[in-house]
Amino acid sequence: MRCGKLSNQGVIPGSKSELQRVLAERLGVSISEVLDDVNLQDLGLDSIGVMGIVSGWQRHGLRTEIAEFTAVPTLNDWWELISR
């Protein structure tokens, strides 16, 4: 996995475009590569990466479990989990 440094590590994204930016930054890819239905695993996101991202959000109040994020592979899926 290509791992970039997150500028606002742990801050829960407030919009889908912010989530897209966070994921692109974490994966070291262009924002244009993180499309709504692209499988994040195909971009290099593995379970350790998911844990790193989601555990930061949990420290800031997110109540969704890490396993829910690992079970769904796309930006749309992740935004649905965050925004519910």
Side-chain angles (χ1 to χ4, degrees):
M1 178 178 88
R2 294 166 284 179
C3 179
K5 183 177 180 179
L6 294 176
S7 55
N8 291 320
Q9 192 166 12
V11 176
I12 302 166
S15 68
K16 190 162 91 172
S17 62
E18 189 177 341
L19 173 61
Q20 181 183 30
R21 182 193 55 76
V22 167
L23 291 170
E25 200 172 294
R26 176 66 184 232
L27 295 168
V29 300
S30 165
I31 288 175
S32 64
E33 293 180 70
V34 185
L35 301 172
D36 288 344
D37 295 319
V38 169
N39 187 317
L40 298 171
Q41 292 174 344
D42 292 344
L43 296 178
L45 186 62
D46 61 15
S47 59
I48 301 298
V50 174
M51 286 189 289
I53 295 168
V54 177
S55 64
W57 295 340
Q58 289 173 328
R59 285 190 297 276
H60 284 85
L62 185 71
R63 299 284 179 230
T64 308
E65 295 297 321
I66 292 171
E68 293 180 73
F69 286 91
T70 59
V72 294
T74 69
L75 175 67
N76 276 341
D77 295 328
W78 277 42
W79 180 243
E80 187 174 315
L81 291 173
I82 291 171
S83 62
R84 60 179 176 174

